Amino acid sequence: MKRFRDWKRVHGIDAFATRCIAVGVVLALVASICLWKLVCVQLLDGQATAEAATSSRTSKVTISAKRGRILASNGTVLAQSVERYNIIGVPDAATSFTPIDCGTKQAKALKYCHSIDGKPVGATGAAAVARLLAPVLGMDAMELGAELNGTNQYVILKKDVTPQVKRAIDKLNLSGIVYGELSSQRVYAENTLLGPLLGGMNDDGTAASGLELTLDKQLSGTDGYIVYQRGNNGQVIPGTVSETKNAQDGSDVMLTIDSDVDWYVKKVLSEGAASSHAKWGIAVVEDARTGEILALEDSDSIQAGSSEAKANASRAVTQTFEPGSIGKVPGLAAILQNGVHKIDDHFTVPYEYTSDGQTFHDAVYHPDKHWTLAGILQNSSNSGMVMAAEKLSNQQRYEMLTKFGIGQATGLNLPGESRGMLSSPSAWDGRTKNTVLFGQGYTVNALQLSRLVSVIANKGVNRQQSLIKSVTDKNGKVVSKLNTSATRVLDEKIADQIKNAMESALEEYKDVAGVSGYRVAVKSGTAEVVGDDGKLSSIVADFAGIIPADNPRFIVTVVMQDPDGLYGGTTSGKLFAKIGEFLMQKYDIPNSAARTDAIPVEW
């Protein structure tokens, strides 16, 4: 230090100059450090720094694919996805928000301002954003303010708002603080049309149940995305879009269901089940020519998309029951097809008949009757069926039932669908081998019952049923999904004979189940089933038929449990008539010609 002071004295450097030199040295040192940092940033780490800056500004935004629609065959939209938005807040930006008062120079320069009912917002930060946003979202400003107060970059303020609400939010000039993220919401036809059959979607947008689930592959699309750089307020920086993949929407699926027919069937079924105090009701309308299902309803009131729809499958496909005397149709077919008897063979039919130690009787007492085989079907005689089938083997009985679709899946692959129950002949005891002749000892669902009758309408051919008509992709390409497979079950002549006998079967119920101006071939059924008490204390009353009988167009099947009146012909038959009349009017079916070919039912 002495030498340094001597050096300053020799060179004439005073204290002020010393301080200047010290400051200069410090500044030189700082400048050197800054220069070194600049060299590092620009030359050594320049690329990494630029990439980090670009990465911080880069956003990859998902472009949601639109889920395909489910349509009725007449074009009615049964299920569709509509445009909705999730409203997103950026708390970090909200906490630093300062509203721009109207009338200020800043407002004039920016050409927008913030106010509530023409008055200043009266707050800053998250509270100000909440005051502006709450009326538009219909939410409490205090709750919104709490959600927006923080340092997060993303918080969902409200889900599934309409485009109108999103546009109103855009007009609040809160860019970079609040924005709408495109979403969608699944909506369904009203009036509980096909509720549990359509099913519903989970909150996360995945399929939950019903046709939404089984058709998910066709209905689902593939999301796209866009990659761009954003400005401070979240806006796209022009010219920075670097990558884009368009969303691929799901395909539309058209059902064979006619919504007009289904709506009317639902109405008739619901009112009929209620007025007769039935536990439940089911109805099916099938196109006799194509196997297309035009209506498939039950009396339950479940709205598609609801929690109940997602938790329950349609009763129309899950409920099984013994068909009762409608089961005499395949029984009669087995007798005729195997040459055991002819349709006009004569029988003396007692009220009660014993076979292999098992006694069977008819529903109503009668003295011995002189009936043909057609008359046995017309009068729905259990004793007559057992008597006529004495020479029919168990295997022949079983094979005919399976050919009619009993115990066989319909092929519709509907969620929750039951195939019913038909045990093998080796499991039959001495009673079951005969009860299967008149619809007891096995179970069916309503679709199987409709298919059973359709074999007769189709001149002995078992035509596979269809519920999916077509699939249309986003490019408009239509692919038919109708099931055209068919198998011959009976000789055409035998099918016509059974249809003739079924037409005679209407006579007992003509005043209740007949359709004026049209010939109808029908069969009723009444079966004891297990009730809630675990005993045979409940009744299933069903009625199925072909209309018009002379030129089959439709198969109508109605089933109810425990209706007032019990018997299928007088309960479900009444609903059959209402549905049949509607079909004839809607499709403008010409009146039937007079019947001239009735097979004798007595001798």
Side-chain angles (χ1 to χ4, degrees):
M1 291 297 294
K2 183 176 182 300
R3 291 180 180 179
F4 178 66
R5 285 193 296 272
D6 292 341
W7 180 83
K8 288 197 298 178
R9 187 168 50 254
V10 171
H11 290 81
I13 301 173
D14 58 15
F16 176 74
T18 300
R19 286 193 295 270
C20 288
I21 292 172
V23 170
V25 171
V26 171
L27 290 176
L29 181 60
V30 170
S32 298
I33 293 172
C34 290
L35 181 61
W36 173 249
K37 186 65 176 179
L38 182 62
V39 170
C40 290
V41 170
Q42 293 293 334
L43 298 178
L44 302 180
D45 299 327
Q47 184 177 356
T49 302
E51 289 176 354
T54 300
S55 177
S56 67
R57 296 194 304 270
T58 301
S59 291
K60 182 177 182 180
V61 178
T62 299
I63 303 173
S64 299
K66 193 173 183 179
R67 189 172 178 82
R69 300 175 298 169
I70 301 177
L71 307 167
S73 61
N74 56 340
T76 299
V77 179
L78 300 174
Q80 65 178 325
S81 294
V82 295
E83 182 182 351
R84 292 291 183 266
Y85 290 86
N86 294 331
I87 302 305
I88 310 301
V90 183
D92 184 47
T95 54
S96 59
F97 171 70
T98 300
I100 299 170
D101 292 335
C102 298
T104 63
K105 291 182 179 180
Q106 187 181 13
K108 291 178 181 179
L110 294 173
K111 296 182 179 180
Y112 70 82
C113 63
H114 303 102
S115 66
I116 299 175
D117 296 330
K119 299 178 181 179
V121 177
T124 60
V129 176
R131 290 185 185 185
L132 290 165
L133 192 59
V136 181
L137 290 181
M139 297 176 66
D140 181 76
M142 295 287 288
E143 293 179 3
L144 269 178
E147 292 189 56
L148 286 166
N149 190 17
T151 58
N152 296 335
Q153 296 292 319
Y154 186 97
V155 60
I156 298 176
L157 302 177
K158 193 169 186 178
K159 289 186 176 182
D160 296 329
V161 306
T162 63
Q164 292 88 339
V165 172
K166 191 262 184 185
R167 287 194 292 269
I169 292 173
D170 291 341
K171 293 178 181 179
L172 294 177
N173 298 303
L174 296 172
S175 176
I177 301 172
V178 178
Y179 61 93
E181 191 176 73
L182 183 62
S183 179
S184 65
Q185 185 178 27
R186 200 67 167 169
V187 295
Y188 300 90
E190 298 178 353
N191 302 320
T192 66
L193 196 67
L194 298 168
L197 186 65
L198 291 172
M201 306 290 291
N202 292 315
D203 292 339
D204 62 0
T206 58
S209 64
L211 291 175
E212 290 281 22
L213 183 58
T214 56
L215 297 173
D216 190 50
K217 183 178 180 180
Q218 293 89 339
L219 294 170
S220 294
T222 303
D223 290 344
Y225 59 84
I226 180 171
V227 179
Y228 64 88
Q229 293 183 40
R230 65 184 184 277
N232 291 334
N233 291 327
Q235 75 277 19
V236 178
I237 299 176
T240 63
V241 176
S242 59
E243 190 177 355
T244 301
K245 180 182 179 182
N246 293 328
Q248 182 176 343
D249 293 339
S251 299
D252 289 343
V253 177
M254 178 172 282
L255 307 183
T256 60
I257 297 291
D258 184 318
S259 62
D260 293 337
V261 177
D262 197 86
W263 174 84
Y264 187 77
V265 168
K266 179 77 172 183
K267 178 177 182 295
V268 169
L269 191 62
S270 298
E271 292 175 353
S275 64
S276 65
H277 305 103
K279 187 174 182 180
W280 50 256
I282 300 171
V284 182
V285 176
E286 179 177 342
D287 189 318
R289 303 165 303 174
T290 64
E292 294 175 62
I293 303 301
L294 305 181
L296 181 60
E297 279 292 354
D298 58 60
S299 57
D300 298 332
S301 295
I302 300 176
Q303 180 66 47
S306 66
S307 298
E308 196 174 0
K310 287 183 277 189
N312 297 279
S314 171
R315 185 187 297 275
V317 299
T318 61
Q319 187 71 55
T320 59
F321 48 89
E322 289 187 341
S325 289
I326 297 181
K328 289 185 171 75
V329 171
L332 178 59
I335 293 169
L336 295 173
Q337 186 68 26
N338 287 288
V340 176
H341 285 289
K342 295 180 180 178
I343 193 69
D344 55 359
D345 280 358
H346 296 181
F347 296 87
T348 300
V349 183
Y351 162 72
E352 192 172 85
Y353 185 80
T354 300
S355 175
D356 294 333
Q358 296 289 326
T359 300
F360 305 89
H361 61 80
D362 291 340
V364 178
Y365 174 79
H366 60 81
D368 290 356
K369 292 288 187 177
H370 290 173
W371 288 331
T372 63
L373 197 50
I376 288 174
L377 184 71
Q378 181 203 33
N379 291 280
S380 200
S381 172
N382 298 338
S383 297
M385 289 296 296
V386 176
M387 176 186 297
E390 287 284 11
K391 296 181 180 180
L392 192 66
S393 72
N394 288 1
Q395 187 62 33
Q396 288 171 327
R397 302 173 195 217
Y398 176 80
E399 288 179 356
M400 187 57 68
L401 288 169
T402 57
K403 287 179 179 179
F404 269 81
I406 306 302
Q408 312 297 308
T410 62
L412 297 177
N413 299 318
L414 296 176
E417 181 181 356
S418 172
R419 65 191 301 167
M421 183 278 296
L422 174 65
S423 57
S424 64
S426 61
W428 291 353
D429 57 24
R431 188 166 188 83
T432 301
K433 74 171 189 177
N434 284 314
T435 61
V436 297
L437 296 169
F438 46 84
Q440 295 180 17
Y442 62 86
T443 61
V444 297
N445 64 28
L447 284 164
Q448 291 171 321
L449 202 57
S450 180
R451 182 171 62 179
L452 182 157
V453 176
S454 75
V455 172
I456 305 304
N458 278 307
K459 298 184 177 297
V461 173
N462 187 345
R463 186 184 300 279
Q464 290 300 300
Q465 296 166 320
S466 293
L467 187 67
I468 311 302
K469 191 178 187 73
S470 64
V471 174
T472 304
D473 65 21
K474 68 170 186 175
N475 298 316
K477 182 181 179 181
V478 180
V479 178
S480 175
K481 293 295 181 179
L482 292 178
N483 192 335
T484 58
S485 60
T487 305
R488 177 159 292 283
V489 174
L490 302 173
D491 293 343
E492 183 175 332
K493 180 180 179 181
I494 289 174
D496 283 342
Q497 290 173 348
I498 296 174
K499 178 161 66 72
N500 192 307
M502 290 174 65
E503 194 169 349
S504 296
L506 178 68
E507 291 301 317
E508 183 178 353
Y509 307 107
K510 194 170 186 177
D511 293 340
V512 175
V515 179
S516 180
Y518 297 92
R519 290 165 54 183
V520 183
V522 305
K523 190 68 192 79
S524 65
T526 307
E528 289 182 315
V529 296
V530 176
D532 294 336
D533 58 2
K535 302 177 182 178
L536 291 176
S537 58
S538 192
I539 292 292
V540 165
D542 49 17
F543 197 90
I546 304 162
I547 182 170
D550 52 320
N551 183 25
R553 284 291 307 276
F554 305 102
I555 289 80
V556 179
T557 302
V558 181
V559 188
M560 290 194 288
Q561 182 176 4
D562 293 331
D564 295 341
L566 298 181
Y567 295 112
T570 56
T571 56
S572 295
K574 187 184 299 183
L575 308 189
F576 168 93
K578 290 181 179 180
I579 296 170
E581 184 178 13
F582 173 83
L583 292 170
M584 297 301 97
Q585 293 176 355
K586 174 179 170 57
Y587 292 99
D588 196 21
I589 306 299
N591 284 357
S592 297
R595 186 184 186 196
T596 59
D597 61 348
I599 296 172
V601 295
E602 297 179 339
W603 59 274

